[in-house]
Amino acid sequence: MTAPRVVLGVGGGIAAYKAALLLRLFTEGGASVRVVPTASALRFVGEPTWAALSGQPVATGVWADVHEVPHVRLGREADLVVVAPATADLLGRAAHGLADDLLTNVLLTARCPVLLAPAMHTEMWQHPAVVANTALLRERGVHVLEPDSGRLTGADTGPGRLPEPERIHAAALELLAGAPGRAASGALGAPVASGDLAGRHVVVSAGGTREPLDPVRFLGNASSGRQGAALAARALARGARVTYVRAHTEVPDPAGAHVVPVSTALQLRDAVLTAAAAGGGADAVVMAAAVADFRPAAPSETKIKKSDDDDAAPVVELVRNPDVLAGLVAARREGRLPASTVLVGFAAETGDATGSVLEHGRAKARRKGADLLVVNEVGGGRAFGTPDNTAVVLGADGSERAVGPAPKESVADAVWDAVAMRLTRGRADQRGDH
Ligand code: CTP
């Protein structure tokens, strides 16, 4: 196999130094990498670093080596273009097809998958202009990773950190491996991408519900909503229309999704069932939300006070919440949802004396009656709040696919791969193909 040809574009941000680590991961993995830093990137990390680490000349401008027409050749010959960090300015120039330096020229001539890893201050990432540019790029099939949340350059923290080089590298390998959707995922300037979920409506629930005890207190859970956000972002990148029923999350809403904010399990149930049934029925519903199984029977309308006279503590009575996934399965069985709607559940499991994580997952898959159940091990710092996840996608048909440890985007892609397969199969069955 010939070495994959990667163009690594580097934008002018402090995170440019992390691109040097990403470059190492590529070269150690056997890729042939041409680095294309912007002029401002070179103010952060100089040309010798890129040349030494890539073992190749560094392409810095449209006016160097003009006889080789580098702005056309680099883009055309690449198997993958990765930009890390992608600054707000680069996202804007890429979204609008500007070509005032070598990197943006490469982006216009590339016909391979393009992966952008943004990094900027939270205010910039959340600015409507950047949100719109990101949505436009994703609509065209460009893969824009969600930035990480955490410490930024100054004292500030929030979403905007460059994803860790390992995560960018894993996403890049996924694209190079030709994950479904790649063929349709156009580069910048290519015709509008279709994506393997184009024309599909999917509903994704995400985050943790909160069940009020009184006006200021609630029973909640440790879900960060990252896996649900990654599912929504990947579905958008693959062309789907996404209704994102979002309980409490620590991550921003994916640009381009129709967001339905909810708080409690009952609100989430109503929002999911409404969205699933709308317009003749959704093509798929993915229940990534951590839904509370119980809620306080009678939340206090006023703040619960402690007594100064004794140590008495209130006893809170709980009642069962409806199981939303079971409700969806029942709705489909009773014809309130189309038979073709693919239903996906998640199972957060810990192994115990009665069975392993996978055994519990298989039992839950049978019990829940969904088409797919994504089983992940929780506890000990795994899954909750972390960017990575290890999961097994169990099919009602007995299929099992292990993913990870991998970025939550990769787990999301594995889920959409399985959903897309079932949707295509459903269509073929309707036509009578076998
Ligand atoms: N779920 C749901 N409604 C609930 C609880 C869970 O729809 N009231 C969904 C979750 O979104 C997830 C799946 O069911 O997709 C599995 O949730 P989990 O909490 O792991 O399983 P439970 O069925 O609650 O079983 P247990 O708590 O006994 O492990």
Side-chain angles (χ1 to χ4, degrees):
M1 209 187 92
T2 54
R5 285 159 304 187
V6 174
V7 170
L8 174 60
V10 185
I14 185 67
Y17 76 94
K18 285 199 193 167
L21 304 174
L22 176 62
L23 172 54
R24 289 243 20 184
L25 292 174
F26 276 123
T27 53
E28 279 168 10
S32 157
V33 188
R34 292 295 305 267
V35 182
V36 183
T38 62
S40 36
L42 290 171
R43 297 181 70 145
F44 289 99
V45 181
E47 191 174 333
T49 302
W50 304 120
L53 288 177
S54 67
Q56 305 238 35
V58 177
T60 54
V62 273
W63 303 113
D65 305 316
V66 175
H67 61 287
E68 288 184 10
V69 206
H71 68 289
V72 177
R73 198 172 42 78
L74 280 170
R76 264 198 201 146
E77 291 177 358
D79 296 311
L80 177 71
V81 177
V82 182
V83 181
T87 57
D89 176 67
L90 260 177
L91 290 177
R93 287 192 287 144
H96 296 282
L98 303 186
D100 52 356
D101 64 4
L102 183 58
L103 181 53
T104 42
N105 272 278
V106 167
L107 289 171
L108 285 185
T109 51
R111 289 295 177 273
C112 57
V114 173
L115 176 67
L116 306 181
M120 63 198 75
H121 286 280
T122 305
E123 294 82 351
M124 297 170 85
W125 174 245
Q126 292 176 345
H127 191 283
V130 176
V131 170
N133 288 335
T134 304
L136 188 56
L137 288 164
R138 282 181 172 147
E139 238 167 65
R140 288 193 201 130
V142 174
H143 303 267
V144 186
L145 284 177
E146 285 297 314
D148 278 353
S149 264
R151 180 86 199 271
L152 301 170
T153 328
D156 50 342
T157 59
R161 260 169 78 98
L162 184 74
E164 288 309 314
E166 288 74 17
R167 185 181 146 206
I168 305 172
H169 188 236
L173 293 186
E174 192 93 352
L175 290 174
L176 280 170
R182 172 184 168 177
S185 70
L188 296 163
V192 172
S194 47
D196 62 349
L197 295 177
R200 303 292 192 177
H201 175 217
V202 303
V203 179
V204 176
S205 72
T209 61
R210 288 181 181 175
E211 309 301 320
L213 281 159
D214 70 14
V216 293
R217 303 184 181 94
F218 55 82
L219 295 180
N221 60 64
S223 169
S224 68
R226 279 173 204 275
Q227 185 60 70
L231 279 156
R234 293 305 304 146
L236 286 161
R238 294 167 74 144
R241 185 163 66 81
V242 178
T243 303
Y244 184 56
V245 179
R246 189 251 297 133
H248 297 272
T249 65
E250 291 167 17
V251 289
D253 297 334
H258 171 62
V259 183
V260 184
V262 294
S263 186
T264 65
L266 289 176
Q267 290 168 356
L268 187 137
R269 190 244 346 236
D270 292 348
V272 166
L273 289 177
T274 304
D283 292 291
V285 184
V286 180
M287 285 294 301
V291 187
D293 287 322
F294 308 98
R295 67 178 184 279
S300 170
E301 279 177 17
T302 52
K303 196 176 159 205
I304 301 169
K305 296 281 192 196
K306 61 181 176 300
S307 153
D308 288 337
D309 307 333
D310 57 33
D311 290 338
V315 174
V316 178
E317 193 194 332
L318 300 176
V319 289
R320 280 289 286 266
N321 269 331
D323 186 316
V324 184
L325 186 56
L328 288 163
V329 171
R332 186 175 61 178
R333 197 178 45 239
E334 291 157 12
R336 283 176 283 122
L337 282 182
S340 56
T341 301
V342 179
L343 301 176
V344 185
F346 270 71
E349 296 290 347
T350 53
D352 59 22
T354 64
S356 68
V357 169
L358 212 53
E359 281 160 356
H360 283 309
R362 286 195 194 103
K364 193 173 283 180
R366 283 191 293 275
R367 220 169 44 238
K368 290 254 175 188
D371 303 288
L372 293 164
L373 193 77
V374 187
V375 180
N376 48 45
E377 192 171 359
V378 292
R382 278 182 294 266
F384 282 122
T386 62
D388 284 2
N389 204 352
T390 306
V392 181
V393 183
L394 298 179
D397 52 7
S399 63
E400 287 188 15
R401 179 176 166 196
V403 214
K408 287 184 173 171
E409 282 70 20
S410 306
V411 174
D413 269 325
V415 172
W416 293 125
D417 290 350
V419 169
M421 229 174 60
R422 279 160 181 77
L423 288 172
T424 315
R425 212 190 277 155
R427 227 175 230 172
D429 285 350
Q430 269 172 14
R431 283 199 312 265
D433 303 352
H434 287 289

